[in-house]
Amino acid sequence: GDAVNIASRIQSIAQPGTIYISESTNHNVINKHDIESRFIKIETLKNVKEPVKIYQVVTSTSEALIPVAVAEPSSSRPPADRPNGKSIAVLPFANMSNDPEQEYFSDGMAEEILNSLAGIKDLKVAGRTSAFQFKGKNTDLREVGDKLGVNTVLEGSVRKQGNRLRITAQLINVADGFHLWSERYDRDMDDIFAIQDEIAMAITEKLKLTLLDKDREKIKKIHTQNAEAYDLYMKGRFYLARRGRFILTAIEYFEKCIASDPEFSLGYAGLADASFISSFYSLLPGNKVMDAAKQAAETAIRLDPTLCEPYASLGFYYTALIWDWKKGKECFERSLQLNPDYAFGHYIFGLYYYTWVMEDFENAEIHGKAAIKLEPLSSITYAIFALIEIAAQKYEEALQAANTGLELDASSFLCYRSRTLSLRGLKRYDEAIASAEHLIAITNRHPHAICDLKEIYADLGRAEEARLLMAELTQRSSNEFIDAVYMGLGSAYAGDLDMAFQYLDSALVEKDPMLVTLRSMHYSLPLEADPRYDQLMEKIGMPER
């Protein structure tokens, strides 16, 4: 029966030379004088409905027999520094609901607790993207601590059925596996905010943190009392984190969220984020999203001036779409003043403003490295840093960063693009072609990847192959949105400069965010000898070199 099944499952995951037991067994033997046990972790076992707490029986030899599972550090990515002070990683909560579609809720639960803890004085909180790299993996907690540079880990599970919730949470010391605190909550959905507050406050108490009044206010702050709006918000954040065409799904959920609660500041912040990111990925033209996204960001700030995210969104708006460099810089700086640990704010500031507009690669690298330090396991931070190094023509460093990102996420769109561009800059054309072809295959022929391959063919004088790719994009542009900058570059590399500048004139109307990349990314060389190129730069208002 269940006892035999559980014992078998626990035996299969026990470290060699140790004795692992279930919670029920531990309860039966805990009062025996000659038996000592310690908590190891909570595990979801096959064919077992509820997650099982696993304990280790401590014997005279068990300490020597337990191997410490620390992953070999990547040669290009050193392990994070373990801080001397208080630190925590909030791992994604396990979805214990019968419906796998409820995964967004368990992810959102962990993310909101993380956000409540972030910014507390004297507490280092691992970034969301890095912490979520461990989702669904049975990773030794000491390895988690080493990779994220933290001393404690919060993990848990969520079961959501209708309006009822069962949430478990446990705080664990990664050095020895000791269980510092655990709790189970059986509540209604309407109590979700209170549960998050209780968990966050329990963590601060167990870590003996001194909370300032503003810290307590942040933890106890409730952005909405509307459970439906909150549920829609978590769905939006879930799909936004997946990137690609899921960004459009995220926009839909954020719009439904603010329709459900027009006073929910985070809903507006999410809508602004998703809208601007959609233009960055060329899913929607900038002029289709910019006004609504700006309004959403400003509404979020009006409702809650302490939010850092909408200021970063406005920084993107003014820099990439309006070309107001002064205002863009002010918004980025305000975002990072409110939250110096906002990794997204660092890398978008470093990439769009300092790299592509100002060509100030020293400051760009500072922000890129800050983002990597904050999110050491996020592939996108390495991809962005690679793009910064490509603009600085440091192609070897860019390739190393792109490859490190691919170690973390073997299907990363931006890492493959930056890898292709790095190899092209190094004139390692065969490898660049293979990289571009792979990205084309795994993205269902994304236009950006096709453009990268087309330009490599043009470098090599393979005009017919480049022409066929351009013909494909031209045909597809009649049925789907393909941003005009890439169409213009395609025409330029095909030798048709008149058509190229027609497309770039369209890009001005579309407010294509890729326009500000033309000067620093070195792929506009066929355009630069034409006097219309300088006129284009003047229309954008690019600073003088």
Side-chain angles (χ1 to χ4, degrees):
D2 284 347
V4 174
N5 180 48
I6 291 173
S8 174
R9 304 296 178 193
I10 293 177
Q11 181 186 15
S12 69
I13 62 174
Q15 299 282 4
T18 64
I19 303 169
Y20 279 15
I21 59 176
S22 67
E23 181 179 21
S24 59
T25 304
N26 185 67
H27 180 74
N28 290 332
V29 301
I30 196 66
N31 289 323
K32 301 290 184 182
H33 291 296
D34 55 345
I35 296 179
E36 180 183 350
S37 65
R38 68 178 185 181
F39 175 79
I40 297 296
K41 61 179 175 178
I42 288 183
E43 187 77 17
T44 301
L45 305 178
K46 186 176 180 181
N47 297 327
V48 178
K49 186 176 181 181
E50 297 285 348
V52 175
K53 290 182 180 178
I54 298 176
Y55 294 78
Q56 176 208 339
V57 177
V58 180
T59 67
S60 59
T61 58
S62 63
E63 290 296 330
L65 287 169
I66 298 176
V68 179
V70 178
E72 289 294 323
S74 163
S75 59
S76 55
R77 176 172 45 85
D81 294 332
R82 189 72 64 83
N84 294 324
K86 308 297 185 181
S87 56
I88 189 171
V90 181
L91 301 186
F93 282 24
N95 173 28
M96 303 305 297
S97 305
N98 294 328
D99 182 5
E101 294 296 321
Q102 294 295 327
E103 182 182 359
Y104 77 90
F105 191 86
S106 53
D107 281 5
M109 182 74 187
E111 186 171 356
E112 288 305 300
I113 294 170
L114 184 155
N115 290 337
S116 294
L117 297 171
I120 290 179
K121 181 177 170 60
D122 299 328
L123 177 64
K124 175 196 170 183
V125 182
R128 184 257 186 216
T129 306
S130 294
F132 275 49
Q133 285 288 323
F134 297 97
K135 182 176 179 178
K137 300 175 183 177
N138 293 322
T139 308
D140 187 285
L141 292 182
R142 284 162 291 192
E143 182 179 339
V144 175
D146 285 338
K147 287 188 173 183
L148 296 180
V150 296
N151 296 321
T152 58
V153 164
L154 179 75
E155 61 179 7
S157 64
V158 178
R159 181 184 298 278
K160 181 174 180 284
Q161 291 182 321
N163 196 46
R164 290 294 295 171
L165 294 173
R166 169 169 289 181
I167 296 172
T168 64
Q170 44 278 330
L171 182 66
I172 301 163
N173 186 339
V174 300
D176 53 21
F178 283 155
H179 211 193
L180 302 177
W181 166 84
S182 68
E183 189 60 78
R184 188 177 83 177
Y185 303 88
D186 289 293
R187 306 276 186 84
D188 290 332
M189 179 66 185
D190 292 341
D191 292 329
I192 182 66
F193 311 112
I195 297 172
Q196 292 171 357
D197 292 348
E198 289 176 32
I199 293 174
M201 290 302 297
I203 291 169
T204 63
E205 291 172 7
K206 291 300 177 182
L207 296 183
K208 296 180 171 58
L209 294 168
T210 301
L211 294 184
L212 303 175
D213 288 343
K214 65 178 182 180
D215 297 328
R216 293 183 184 278
E217 289 176 6
K218 182 177 180 181
I219 290 175
K220 294 182 175 297
K221 188 172 192 174
I222 296 177
H223 292 276
T224 180
Q225 297 285 359
N226 186 322
E228 178 189 23
Y230 184 70
D231 194 64
L232 291 165
Y233 168 74
M234 287 201 290
K235 286 180 179 178
R237 281 293 175 193
F238 175 78
Y239 284 107
L240 180 58
R242 297 178 71 176
R243 292 294 197 264
R245 291 202 166 271
F246 290 109
I247 296 169
L248 301 179
T249 305
I251 290 174
E252 294 176 4
Y253 278 117
F254 287 131
E255 288 174 339
K256 292 177 181 177
C257 167
I258 60 180
S260 180
D261 183 358
E263 299 299 310
F264 188 14
S265 60
L266 293 178
Y268 290 99
L271 178 59
D273 273 354
S275 298
F276 289 131
I277 292 173
S278 73
S279 68
F280 177 80
Y281 280 88
S282 300
L283 296 171
L284 294 170
N287 62 353
K288 295 293 185 184
V289 302
M290 55 189 287
D291 291 338
K294 176 177 181 282
Q295 183 179 1
E298 290 177 339
T299 303
I301 292 169
R302 176 179 59 79
L303 293 169
D304 185 353
T306 68
L307 293 177
C308 67
E309 294 88 350
Y311 280 104
S313 293
L314 287 177
F316 180 94
Y317 170 81
Y318 286 111
T319 303
L321 302 176
I322 298 299
W323 313 318
D324 183 338
W325 321 129
K326 181 176 181 293
K327 188 70 172 176
K329 183 183 182 184
E330 289 174 356
C331 290
F332 282 130
E333 289 177 336
R334 180 57 179 157
S335 174
L336 295 175
Q337 286 170 1
L338 289 167
N339 183 4
D341 295 336
Y342 187 35
F344 178 83
H346 277 289
Y347 67 65
I348 199 170
F349 190 16
L351 183 64
Y352 258 94
Y353 180 80
Y354 279 117
T355 301
W356 288 341
V357 174
M358 305 307 296
E359 295 182 293
D360 179 352
F361 304 122
E362 182 179 354
N363 273 312
E365 288 176 347
I366 289 171
H367 284 285
K369 289 176 180 177
I372 289 174
K373 186 175 182 180
L374 291 165
E375 290 280 18
L377 301 186
S378 167
S379 63
I380 194 171
T381 59
Y382 290 95
I384 297 297
F385 189 75
L387 291 174
I388 292 171
E389 298 294 72
I390 289 166
Q393 299 188 59
K394 297 180 180 179
Y395 296 116
E396 288 287 359
E397 293 88 341
L399 180 60
Q400 183 180 14
N403 286 337
T404 301
L406 288 171
E407 290 175 16
L408 295 165
D409 180 359
S411 61
S412 169
F413 176 81
L414 283 181
C415 283
Y416 262 109
R417 279 214 70 203
S418 56
R419 183 176 189 272
T420 300
L421 295 172
S422 301
L423 290 167
R424 181 188 174 197
L426 292 167
K427 301 188 186 307
R428 290 161 57 176
Y429 289 116
D430 288 345
E431 294 171 82
I433 289 172
S435 179
E437 287 179 336
H438 180 74
L439 186 57
I440 289 170
I442 65 174
T443 60
N444 194 24
R445 306 190 69 79
H446 194 286
H448 292 187
I450 289 177
C451 285
D452 292 341
L453 181 58
K454 176 172 51 60
E455 290 168 16
I456 297 169
Y457 283 154
D459 287 350
L460 296 172
R462 294 162 63 169
E464 179 59 20
E465 290 161 295
R467 186 192 66 78
L468 289 174
L469 290 175
M470 185 62 196
E472 175 188 340
L473 291 178
T474 302
Q475 188 276 326
R476 287 172 57 183
S477 67
S478 62
N479 301 312
E480 63 181 280
F481 172 68
I482 298 178
D483 54 82
V485 164
Y486 282 97
M487 294 298 292
L489 289 170
S491 298
Y493 275 90
D496 190 345
L497 290 180
D498 289 339
M499 181 59 70
F501 282 103
Q502 285 184 37
Y503 277 120
L504 293 173
D505 284 340
S506 297
L508 288 170
V509 175
E510 290 178 359
K511 294 293 184 180
D512 191 330
M514 293 296 105
L515 280 169
V516 298
T517 73
L518 286 174
R519 192 169 71 176
S520 62
M521 288 302 286
H522 317 297
Y523 44 39
S524 62
L525 294 178
L527 300 166
E528 292 180 9
D530 192 297
R532 288 173 289 185
Y533 177 79
D534 289 334
Q535 294 169 10
L536 177 67
M537 293 297 103
E538 289 176 9
K539 290 177 182 176
I540 299 171
M542 293 296 285
E544 291 186 8
R545 282 173 161 165

Short mmCIF file of all heavy atoms in Angstrom, two decimals, residues 39-88:
data_model
loop_
_atom_site.label_atom_id
_atom_site.label_comp_id
_atom_site.label_asym_id
_atom_site.label_seq_id
_atom_site.Cartn_x
_atom_site.Cartn_y
_atom_site.Cartn_z
N PHE A 39 15.54 17.29 9.35
CA PHE A 39 14.76 17.51 8.13
C PHE A 39 15.68 17.69 6.92
O PHE A 39 16.70 18.38 7.00
CB PHE A 39 13.86 18.74 8.29
CG PHE A 39 13.10 19.11 7.04
CD1 PHE A 39 11.96 18.42 6.67
CD2 PHE A 39 13.55 20.13 6.23
CE1 PHE A 39 11.27 18.75 5.52
CE2 PHE A 39 12.87 20.48 5.07
CZ PHE A 39 11.72 19.78 4.72
N ILE A 40 15.33 17.07 5.80
CA ILE A 40 16.11 17.20 4.57
C ILE A 40 15.39 18.08 3.56
O ILE A 40 15.90 19.10 3.13
CB ILE A 40 16.39 15.81 3.94
CG1 ILE A 40 17.24 14.97 4.89
CG2 ILE A 40 17.09 15.96 2.59
CD1 ILE A 40 18.62 15.54 5.15
N LYS A 41 14.16 17.71 3.18
CA LYS A 41 13.42 18.48 2.18
C LYS A 41 12.01 17.94 2.06
O LYS A 41 11.68 16.90 2.62
CB LYS A 41 14.11 18.42 0.82
CG LYS A 41 14.24 17.02 0.24
CD LYS A 41 14.93 17.08 -1.12
CE LYS A 41 15.19 15.68 -1.67
NZ LYS A 41 15.81 15.72 -3.01
N ILE A 42 11.19 18.68 1.31
CA ILE A 42 9.87 18.20 0.92
C ILE A 42 9.96 17.69 -0.51
O ILE A 42 10.54 18.33 -1.38
CB ILE A 42 8.82 19.31 1.04
CG1 ILE A 42 8.52 19.59 2.51
CG2 ILE A 42 7.53 18.93 0.32
CD1 ILE A 42 7.44 20.61 2.75
N GLU A 43 9.40 16.52 -0.75
CA GLU A 43 9.51 15.90 -2.07
C GLU A 43 8.12 15.50 -2.57
O GLU A 43 7.29 15.00 -1.79
CB GLU A 43 10.40 14.65 -1.98
CG GLU A 43 10.72 14.01 -3.30
CD GLU A 43 11.80 14.79 -4.05
OE1 GLU A 43 12.50 15.60 -3.42
OE2 GLU A 43 11.92 14.59 -5.27
N THR A 44 7.88 15.73 -3.84
CA THR A 44 6.66 15.23 -4.48
C THR A 44 6.97 13.85 -5.05
O THR A 44 7.82 13.72 -5.95
CB THR A 44 6.21 16.18 -5.61
OG1 THR A 44 5.97 17.48 -5.04
CG2 THR A 44 4.93 15.68 -6.24
N LEU A 45 6.31 12.83 -4.55
CA LEU A 45 6.61 11.45 -4.93
C LEU A 45 5.56 10.92 -5.91
O LEU A 45 4.38 11.27 -5.83
CB LEU A 45 6.66 10.55 -3.70
CG LEU A 45 7.63 10.98 -2.59
CD1 LEU A 45 7.53 10.02 -1.40
CD2 LEU A 45 9.06 11.03 -3.11
N LYS A 46 6.02 10.10 -6.81
CA LYS A 46 5.13 9.52 -7.81
C LYS A 46 4.04 8.68 -7.14
O LYS A 46 4.30 7.91 -6.22
CB LYS A 46 5.94 8.64 -8.77
CG LYS A 46 5.14 8.10 -9.95
CD LYS A 46 6.03 7.33 -10.89
CE LYS A 46 5.22 6.78 -12.07
NZ LYS A 46 6.07 6.00 -13.01
N ASN A 47 2.81 8.87 -7.60
CA ASN A 47 1.63 8.14 -7.10
C ASN A 47 1.30 8.44 -5.65
O ASN A 47 0.59 7.68 -4.99
CB ASN A 47 1.80 6.62 -7.27
CG ASN A 47 1.93 6.20 -8.73
OD1 ASN A 47 1.32 6.82 -9.61
ND2 ASN A 47 2.73 5.18 -9.00
N VAL A 48 1.81 9.57 -5.13
CA VAL A 48 1.50 9.99 -3.77
C VAL A 48 0.84 11.37 -3.87
O VAL A 48 1.41 12.30 -4.44
CB VAL A 48 2.77 10.06 -2.89
CG1 VAL A 48 2.42 10.55 -1.49
CG2 VAL A 48 3.44 8.70 -2.84
N LYS A 49 -0.35 11.51 -3.31
CA LYS A 49 -1.17 12.70 -3.51
C LYS A 49 -0.54 13.94 -2.91
O LYS A 49 -0.43 14.99 -3.57
CB LYS A 49 -2.57 12.47 -2.92
CG LYS A 49 -3.56 13.59 -3.21
CD LYS A 49 -4.94 13.21 -2.68
CE LYS A 49 -5.96 14.30 -2.99
NZ LYS A 49 -7.30 13.96 -2.47
N GLU A 50 -0.11 13.87 -1.64
CA GLU A 50 0.43 15.04 -0.94
C GLU A 50 1.95 15.00 -0.95
O GLU A 50 2.56 13.93 -0.94
CB GLU A 50 -0.06 15.07 0.51
CG GLU A 50 -1.57 15.22 0.66
CD GLU A 50 -2.02 16.63 0.38
OE1 GLU A 50 -1.17 17.53 0.29
OE2 GLU A 50 -3.24 16.84 0.25
N PRO A 51 2.62 16.18 -0.97
CA PRO A 51 4.07 16.19 -0.85
C PRO A 51 4.50 15.62 0.50
O PRO A 51 3.78 15.75 1.51
CB PRO A 51 4.44 17.67 -0.97
CG PRO A 51 3.17 18.42 -0.80
CD PRO A 51 2.05 17.51 -1.13
N VAL A 52 5.64 14.95 0.53
CA VAL A 52 6.10 14.23 1.72
C VAL A 52 7.34 14.91 2.29
O VAL A 52 8.29 15.19 1.55
CB VAL A 52 6.42 12.75 1.37
CG1 VAL A 52 7.01 12.03 2.57
CG2 VAL A 52 5.16 12.05 0.88
N LYS A 53 7.33 15.17 3.58
CA LYS A 53 8.52 15.67 4.25
C LYS A 53 9.47 14.51 4.51
O LYS A 53 9.06 13.47 5.05
CB LYS A 53 8.14 16.35 5.58
CG LYS A 53 7.39 17.66 5.43
CD LYS A 53 7.11 18.28 6.78
CE LYS A 53 6.35 19.61 6.62
NZ LYS A 53 6.04 20.21 7.94
N ILE A 54 10.72 14.69 4.14
CA ILE A 54 11.72 13.62 4.27
C ILE A 54 12.75 14.03 5.32
O ILE A 54 13.25 15.16 5.33
CB ILE A 54 12.40 13.35 2.91
CG1 ILE A 54 11.36 12.88 1.89
CG2 ILE A 54 13.51 12.32 3.06
CD1 ILE A 54 11.91 12.68 0.51
N TYR A 55 13.05 13.08 6.20
CA TYR A 55 14.03 13.29 7.26
C TYR A 55 15.16 12.29 7.11
O TYR A 55 15.00 11.21 6.54
CB TYR A 55 13.38 13.12 8.64
CG TYR A 55 12.34 14.18 8.95
CD1 TYR A 55 11.07 14.12 8.40
CD2 TYR A 55 12.65 15.25 9.79
CE1 TYR A 55 10.12 15.10 8.66
CE2 TYR A 55 11.70 16.23 10.08
CZ TYR A 55 10.44 16.15 9.50
OH TYR A 55 9.50 17.12 9.76
N GLN A 56 16.32 12.66 7.66
CA GLN A 56 17.46 11.75 7.67
C GLN A 56 17.71 11.30 9.10
O GLN A 56 17.73 12.12 10.03
CB GLN A 56 18.71 12.43 7.13
CG GLN A 56 19.95 11.55 7.21
CD GLN A 56 21.22 12.35 7.34
OE1 GLN A 56 21.25 13.52 6.99
NE2 GLN A 56 22.26 11.75 7.86
N VAL A 57 17.92 10.02 9.30
CA VAL A 57 18.32 9.50 10.60
C VAL A 57 19.82 9.72 10.76
O VAL A 57 20.61 9.28 9.91
CB VAL A 57 18.00 8.00 10.74
CG1 VAL A 57 18.51 7.47 12.09
CG2 VAL A 57 16.50 7.78 10.63
N VAL A 58 20.20 10.44 11.80
CA VAL A 58 21.61 10.78 12.02
C VAL A 58 22.27 9.66 12.81
O VAL A 58 21.83 9.30 13.91
CB VAL A 58 21.73 12.11 12.78
CG1 VAL A 58 23.20 12.45 13.01
CG2 VAL A 58 21.05 13.22 11.99
N THR A 59 23.33 9.08 12.23
CA THR A 59 24.11 8.04 12.91
C THR A 59 25.53 8.53 13.08
O THR A 59 25.90 9.60 12.60
CB THR A 59 24.11 6.74 12.08
OG1 THR A 59 24.85 6.98 10.86
CG2 THR A 59 22.69 6.31 11.73
N SER A 60 26.35 7.74 13.74
CA SER A 60 27.72 8.15 14.01
C SER A 60 28.54 8.31 12.74
O SER A 60 29.53 9.04 12.71
CB SER A 60 28.40 7.13 14.93
OG SER A 60 28.40 5.85 14.30
N THR A 61 28.15 7.62 11.67
CA THR A 61 28.92 7.69 10.42
C THR A 61 28.22 8.47 9.33
O THR A 61 28.81 8.74 8.29
CB THR A 61 29.20 6.27 9.89
OG1 THR A 61 27.95 5.62 9.67
CG2 THR A 61 30.05 5.49 10.87
N SER A 62 26.96 8.84 9.54
CA SER A 62 26.19 9.42 8.44
C SER A 62 26.76 10.75 7.98
O SER A 62 26.72 11.08 6.80
CB SER A 62 24.72 9.59 8.82
OG SER A 62 24.58 10.48 9.90
N GLU A 63 27.29 11.57 8.93
CA GLU A 63 27.82 12.87 8.54
C GLU A 63 28.97 12.72 7.56
O GLU A 63 29.10 13.46 6.60
CB GLU A 63 28.27 13.66 9.77
CG GLU A 63 27.15 14.13 10.66
CD GLU A 63 26.23 15.11 9.96
OE1 GLU A 63 26.71 15.85 9.09
OE2 GLU A 63 25.04 15.13 10.26
N ALA A 64 29.82 11.73 7.77
CA ALA A 64 30.96 11.54 6.89
C ALA A 64 30.55 10.95 5.55
O ALA A 64 31.24 11.12 4.55
CB ALA A 64 31.97 10.62 7.56
N LEU A 65 29.43 10.26 5.54
CA LEU A 65 29.02 9.57 4.32
C LEU A 65 28.23 10.45 3.35
O LEU A 65 28.11 10.13 2.19
CB LEU A 65 28.16 8.35 4.67
CG LEU A 65 28.92 7.17 5.27
CD1 LEU A 65 27.93 6.15 5.82
CD2 LEU A 65 29.82 6.52 4.24
N ILE A 66 27.67 11.56 3.84
CA ILE A 66 26.81 12.37 2.98
C ILE A 66 27.68 13.20 2.03
O ILE A 66 28.45 14.05 2.47
CB ILE A 66 25.93 13.32 3.80
CG1 ILE A 66 24.99 12.50 4.69
CG2 ILE A 66 25.11 14.22 2.87
CD1 ILE A 66 24.16 13.36 5.59
N PRO A 67 27.60 12.96 0.73
CA PRO A 67 28.35 13.79 -0.20
C PRO A 67 27.65 15.14 -0.38
O PRO A 67 26.44 15.22 -0.44
CB PRO A 67 28.31 12.99 -1.51
CG PRO A 67 27.06 12.19 -1.42
CD PRO A 67 26.83 11.92 0.04
N VAL A 68 28.42 16.21 -0.44
CA VAL A 68 27.85 17.52 -0.68
C VAL A 68 27.72 17.72 -2.18
O VAL A 68 28.71 17.73 -2.91
CB VAL A 68 28.73 18.63 -0.08
CG1 VAL A 68 28.14 20.00 -0.36
CG2 VAL A 68 28.89 18.41 1.42
N ALA A 69 26.48 17.84 -2.65
CA ALA A 69 26.23 17.92 -4.09
C ALA A 69 26.38 19.35 -4.56
O ALA A 69 25.45 20.12 -4.53
CB ALA A 69 24.83 17.40 -4.42
N VAL A 70 27.60 19.70 -4.95
CA VAL A 70 27.84 21.03 -5.50
C VAL A 70 28.24 20.88 -6.95
O VAL A 70 29.18 20.16 -7.27
CB VAL A 70 28.96 21.77 -4.72
CG1 VAL A 70 29.22 23.12 -5.32
CG2 VAL A 70 28.58 21.89 -3.25
N ALA A 71 27.50 21.54 -7.83
CA ALA A 71 27.78 21.40 -9.26
C ALA A 71 29.13 22.02 -9.59
O ALA A 71 29.56 22.99 -8.99
CB ALA A 71 26.68 22.10 -10.08
N GLU A 72 29.80 21.40 -10.57
CA GLU A 72 31.04 21.98 -11.06
C GLU A 72 30.73 23.33 -11.69
O GLU A 72 29.88 23.43 -12.56
CB GLU A 72 31.67 21.06 -12.11
CG GLU A 72 32.25 19.78 -11.52
CD GLU A 72 33.43 20.07 -10.61
OE1 GLU A 72 34.22 20.98 -10.92
OE2 GLU A 72 33.54 19.39 -9.58
N PRO A 73 31.42 24.38 -11.27
CA PRO A 73 31.12 25.69 -11.85
C PRO A 73 31.53 25.75 -13.31
O PRO A 73 32.53 25.17 -13.70
CB PRO A 73 31.95 26.67 -11.00
CG PRO A 73 33.06 25.82 -10.43
CD PRO A 73 32.47 24.45 -10.26
N SER A 74 30.73 26.45 -14.10
CA SER A 74 31.08 26.66 -15.50
C SER A 74 32.33 27.52 -15.57
O SER A 74 32.53 28.41 -14.76
CB SER A 74 29.92 27.36 -16.23
OG SER A 74 30.36 27.91 -17.44
N SER A 75 33.18 27.22 -16.55
CA SER A 75 34.41 28.00 -16.70
C SER A 75 34.10 29.46 -17.01
O SER A 75 34.89 30.34 -16.73
CB SER A 75 35.25 27.40 -17.83
OG SER A 75 34.52 27.40 -19.03
N SER A 76 32.90 29.70 -17.59
CA SER A 76 32.56 31.07 -17.96
C SER A 76 31.61 31.72 -16.96
O SER A 76 31.28 32.87 -17.10
CB SER A 76 31.90 31.07 -19.35
OG SER A 76 30.79 30.21 -19.37
N ARG A 77 31.17 30.95 -15.98
CA ARG A 77 30.20 31.51 -15.03
C ARG A 77 30.58 31.05 -13.63
O ARG A 77 30.21 29.97 -13.19
CB ARG A 77 28.79 31.03 -15.38
CG ARG A 77 27.72 31.49 -14.40
CD ARG A 77 26.33 31.15 -14.93
NE ARG A 77 26.24 29.81 -15.45
CZ ARG A 77 26.00 28.74 -14.73
NH1 ARG A 77 25.83 28.85 -13.44
NH2 ARG A 77 25.92 27.54 -15.29
N PRO A 78 31.34 31.84 -12.87
CA PRO A 78 31.74 31.46 -11.53
C PRO A 78 30.55 31.43 -10.59
O PRO A 78 29.55 32.10 -10.83
CB PRO A 78 32.71 32.57 -11.12
CG PRO A 78 32.31 33.75 -11.94
CD PRO A 78 31.81 33.18 -13.24
N PRO A 79 30.63 30.60 -9.51
CA PRO A 79 29.51 30.57 -8.57
C PRO A 79 29.34 31.91 -7.89
O PRO A 79 30.30 32.67 -7.73
CB PRO A 79 29.93 29.49 -7.55
CG PRO A 79 31.43 29.40 -7.68
CD PRO A 79 31.74 29.71 -9.12
N ALA A 80 28.12 32.20 -7.49
CA ALA A 80 27.84 33.48 -6.83
C ALA A 80 28.52 33.51 -5.47
O ALA A 80 28.70 32.49 -4.82
CB ALA A 80 26.33 33.67 -6.69
N ASP A 81 28.90 34.71 -5.03
CA ASP A 81 29.49 34.86 -3.71
C ASP A 81 28.43 34.62 -2.65
O ASP A 81 27.32 35.13 -2.74
CB ASP A 81 30.06 36.27 -3.55
CG ASP A 81 31.23 36.51 -4.49
OD1 ASP A 81 31.92 35.54 -4.84
OD2 ASP A 81 31.44 37.68 -4.87
N ARG A 82 28.78 33.82 -1.63
CA ARG A 82 27.87 33.60 -0.51
C ARG A 82 28.01 34.78 0.45
O ARG A 82 29.10 35.04 0.95
CB ARG A 82 28.22 32.30 0.19
CG ARG A 82 27.22 31.85 1.24
CD ARG A 82 25.93 31.34 0.62
NE ARG A 82 26.11 30.15 -0.18
CZ ARG A 82 26.16 28.91 0.31
NH1 ARG A 82 26.02 28.70 1.59
NH2 ARG A 82 26.32 27.88 -0.48
N PRO A 83 26.93 35.52 0.70
CA PRO A 83 27.05 36.72 1.55
C PRO A 83 27.23 36.36 3.01
O PRO A 83 26.87 35.27 3.46
CB PRO A 83 25.69 37.41 1.32
CG PRO A 83 24.76 36.29 1.01
CD PRO A 83 25.56 35.28 0.25
N ASN A 84 27.82 37.30 3.75
CA ASN A 84 27.99 37.08 5.18
C ASN A 84 26.69 37.34 5.93
O ASN A 84 26.47 36.80 7.01
CB ASN A 84 29.09 38.01 5.71
CG ASN A 84 30.45 37.64 5.14
OD1 ASN A 84 30.74 36.46 4.94
ND2 ASN A 84 31.27 38.65 4.86
N GLY A 85 25.83 38.20 5.41
CA GLY A 85 24.61 38.57 6.10
C GLY A 85 23.44 37.64 5.77
O GLY A 85 23.61 36.51 5.33
N LYS A 86 22.23 38.14 5.97
CA LYS A 86 21.03 37.36 5.73
C LYS A 86 20.72 37.34 4.23
O LYS A 86 20.81 38.37 3.56
CB LYS A 86 19.85 37.97 6.49
CG LYS A 86 20.11 38.21 7.97
CD LYS A 86 20.37 36.92 8.74
CE LYS A 86 20.51 37.20 10.23
NZ LYS A 86 20.77 35.97 11.00
N SER A 87 20.34 36.20 3.73
CA SER A 87 20.04 36.08 2.30
C SER A 87 19.06 34.94 2.08
O SER A 87 19.02 33.98 2.86
CB SER A 87 21.32 35.85 1.50
OG SER A 87 22.00 34.70 1.98
N ILE A 88 18.30 35.05 1.00
CA ILE A 88 17.25 34.05 0.74
C ILE A 88 16.97 33.94 -0.75
O ILE A 88 17.10 34.91 -1.50
CB ILE A 88 15.94 34.42 1.49
CG1 ILE A 88 14.92 33.28 1.40
CG2 ILE A 88 15.34 35.72 0.96
CD1 ILE A 88 13.71 33.47 2.30
#
